[in-house]
Amino acid sequence: PQGDGRRRFEELLASESRVEPTDWMPAAYRKTLIRQISQHAHSEIIGMQPEGNWITRAPSLKRKAILMAKVQDEAGHGLYLYSAAQTLGIDREEMFDQLITGRAKYSSIFNYTTPTWADMGSIGWLVDGAAICNQVPLCRASYGPYGRAMVRICKEESFHQRQGFEILLALMNGTEEQRAMAQESVNRWYAPALMMFGPPDADSPNSQQSMAWNIKRFSNDELRQRFVDMLVPQAEILGVTLPDPAIRWNEERGHYDFGDLDWTEFSEVLAGRGPANAVRVSRRRTAHENGAWVREAARAYADKQATASAA
Ligand code: FAQ
């Protein structure tokens, strides 16, 4: 009966245990998880494009091999996350359809363009850095398949972040022109990376309930603060300047103060009017359509195997 299921669900949360796919869960909990996990999966899949843009132009064979491996990791993350969402009862075709018809959200950050090689450094350092800050607490998310997927994803993101830092470090130790390229790229990526954590707490409709359900463990602003605190000393080592004159150590708070972000830009990007929204979704749609024959062949093969094993 539903009463028993609800009681057990509340007990699982209270004891910091995991909710598993076969457990009873409130419909709204299931819906929130499908929303967050599918958006996260779509972000990984769309997130391959800005870096995919540089695979053929990476400045050495070593850089090319590393970048290919990183982009492939992102595909893998997307696939685990689609699988985790499927355990909640949505099928993959439906999620793909939401993405390629532009109905699904994915992270705002992937709607920015990558005109320079230094952007590969900024994505690793800032975008993967923000992803780690946001996702390490998600390893403890109450929904088992999501939390477990996050453990492996975070290990790989941590490698990604270091490779981005190292790209910027190499540029900062290079010529005047290379240093300028690194700084210009950090100038463009810094604020959008801070926006990855979502709107300010006061404008975040989902946070409170998601925290009560042990899905989110910290609020958007708490994680954003943690990220800035992490970046400032790393920027000093790199020798880059974070493009925010308001950054200042606050002795009383024990944190760095930082300036307001342009939330109009954020809502424009969410509304589909960012620099690269249209191209991201249309590329994804074309890739999906071009892959139709692969899905068809895989299905035919699976059917044949099933018939053979039934015989
Ligand atoms: N972009 O009430 P909240 C990666 C939406 S990392 C777009 O605060 P919530 C790694 C939000 O969905 C990036 N939309 O929402 C990588 C909601 O709209 P809805 C992916 C955003 O869910 C690196 C509305 O605003 N990571 O891919 C954004 O409690 C390099 C109200 O917001 C994740 O997805 C945004 N930045 O908190 C890959 C992490 N922020 O759905 C390739 C998992 C908010 O009601 C290359 N997700 N919105 O219509 C989360 O932790 C949460 O979902 C938040 C948002 C923190 C993103």
Side-chain angles (χ1 to χ4, degrees), residues 35-36 39-40 43-44 47-48 51 70 74 105-110 123 127-128 131 134-135 138 146 157 195-199 203-207 210 216 220 266 270:
R35 177 182 66 79
Q36 179 164 328
Q39 286 175 359
H40 194 166
S43 304
E44 299 279 359
M48 290 193 281
E51 290 165 296
K70 180 183 191 288
E74 287 153 9
K105 282 204 174 83
Y106 56 84
S107 183
S108 50
I109 194 74
F110 302 117
I123 290 184
V127 176
D128 286 280
N134 169 259
Q135 290 167 33
L138 292 174
Y146 190 36
E157 306 280 32
M195 291 177 191
M196 287 172 69
F197 296 94
D203 304 319
S204 164
N206 301 300
S207 280
S210 288
K216 287 169 89 161
N220 299 356
F266 179 74
L270 258 60

Side-chain angles (χ1 to χ4, degrees), residues 75-93:
H77 298 173
L79 299 182
Y80 312 143
L81 288 165
Y82 283 129
S83 299
Q86 281 174 283
T87 66
L88 292 156
I90 181 164
D91 62 56
R92 199 174 284 220
E93 285 303 318

Side-chain angles (χ1 to χ4, degrees), residues 141-254:
S142 56
Y143 188 58
Y146 190 36
R148 287 189 290 272
M150 277 304 123
V151 175
R152 175 160 176 189
I153 291 178
C154 284
K155 286 188 182 153
E156 295 182 347
E157 306 280 32
S158 144
F159 162 74
H160 294 170
Q161 200 238 0
R162 284 161 210 221
Q163 72 83 39
F165 183 88
E166 202 269 335
I167 288 175
L168 291 177
L169 193 62
L171 292 173
M172 291 306 289
N173 286 329
T175 62
E176 199 48 55
E177 214 179 339
Q178 287 171 320
R179 278 197 292 276
M181 193 203 318
Q183 181 64 57
E184 185 277 335
S185 173
V186 168
N187 290 351
R188 278 184 287 113
W189 288 90
Y190 169 79
L194 259 64
M195 291 177 191
M196 287 172 69
F197 296 94
D201 292 350
D203 304 319
S204 164
N206 301 300
S207 280
Q208 216 178 353
Q209 181 60 74
S210 288
M211 286 171 78
W213 278 329
N214 295 352
I215 299 172
K216 287 169 89 161
R217 298 292 183 154
F218 299 96
S219 76
N220 299 356
D221 286 331
E222 281 169 335
L223 291 173
R224 197 173 356 259
Q225 177 72 64
R226 192 180 280 194
F227 182 54
V228 173
D229 290 348
M230 185 189 93
L231 284 185
V232 174
Q234 294 182 359
E236 272 165 27
I237 295 169
L238 283 174
V240 296
T241 307
L242 296 174
D244 176 0
I247 293 181
R248 196 166 300 111
W249 178 250
N250 183 323
E251 191 65 50
E252 214 169 287
R253 294 197 310 120

